[in-house]
Amino acid sequence: MRKLSEIILEMIEPMYNDLGEVEPLAKLAALGWNSAIVEQLGKSELINNAFEVISSKLDIEDSEEMAEAIEQYKAIKLMYYINDNRMIVDTIFKKTFDGLHLDIVSSPVEFPEQKKIGRNDPCPCGSRKKYKKCCV
């Protein structure tokens, strides 16, 4: 399994012009990554509080631009790393002689098993029809 620090740096690589932008972008990418996991867990309301905390700490004035970046990182996570269940706990930057080094502290999260919809169960779209007569 690839290191999360490599994945995050790969996600932000096309976005920055100098090393000063790496740390805030990596934090946004981490928030996008975690919001994708929270969405997979079905607890999307938790991400709004994190969004407010991060926006105050990162000193980003344009919250629309920040939300757009987070959505972009979330989409990358869901597209390429959907089965990776590591939640990012912290991002740690260390200055080395050859630039910045990123360490990521993560913790695995257990995804709930998806219940299979039976043919005679109510359709999840809310139409009150049986699944076999609605969305098959």
Side-chain angles (χ1 to χ4, degrees):
M1 187 178 293
R2 283 182 65 195
K3 292 171 69 173
L4 266 176
S5 56
E6 292 173 3
I7 294 171
I8 294 296
L9 288 174
E10 184 180 283
M11 286 168 69
I12 68 170
E13 186 175 7
M15 310 282 183
Y16 65 88
N17 297 321
D18 63 32
L19 288 179
E21 298 173 349
V22 172
E23 189 169 352
L25 283 173
K27 291 191 182 295
L28 286 176
L31 184 58
W33 181 279
N34 285 347
S35 67
I37 288 181
V38 168
E39 186 176 289
Q40 286 176 287
L41 291 171
K43 305 217 186 252
S44 315
E45 68 279 354
L46 297 176
I47 209 65
N48 294 333
N49 293 340
F51 180 79
E52 291 172 14
V53 170
I54 294 290
S55 62
S56 65
K57 287 185 178 183
L58 287 182
D59 202 26
I60 296 176
E61 295 171 13
D62 190 358
S63 62
E64 285 182 27
E65 183 180 315
M66 185 175 92
E68 197 174 291
I70 290 170
E71 285 299 315
Q72 183 177 2
Y73 294 131
K74 182 168 94 173
I76 292 170
K77 194 274 185 212
L78 290 172
M79 185 179 300
Y80 298 110
Y81 306 102
I82 193 157
N83 293 324
D84 194 331
N85 67 339
R86 295 175 289 175
M87 178 75 84
I88 296 173
V89 178
D90 197 7
T91 55
I92 304 164
F93 284 89
K94 298 176 187 172
K95 293 189 188 246
T96 61
F97 64 91
D98 59 341
L100 283 175
H101 177 74
L102 172 63
D103 282 332
I104 292 185
V105 180
S106 64
S107 176
V109 176
E110 293 296 321
F111 292 133
E113 298 218 4
Q114 296 291 331
K115 182 184 169 197
K116 186 175 179 185
I117 302 169
R119 291 175 38 83
N120 291 316
D121 290 340
C123 189
C125 75
S127 66
R128 295 186 176 179
K129 294 180 183 179
K130 288 185 179 183
Y131 181 68
K132 68 182 178 184
K133 296 197 177 221
C134 186
C135 291
V136 175

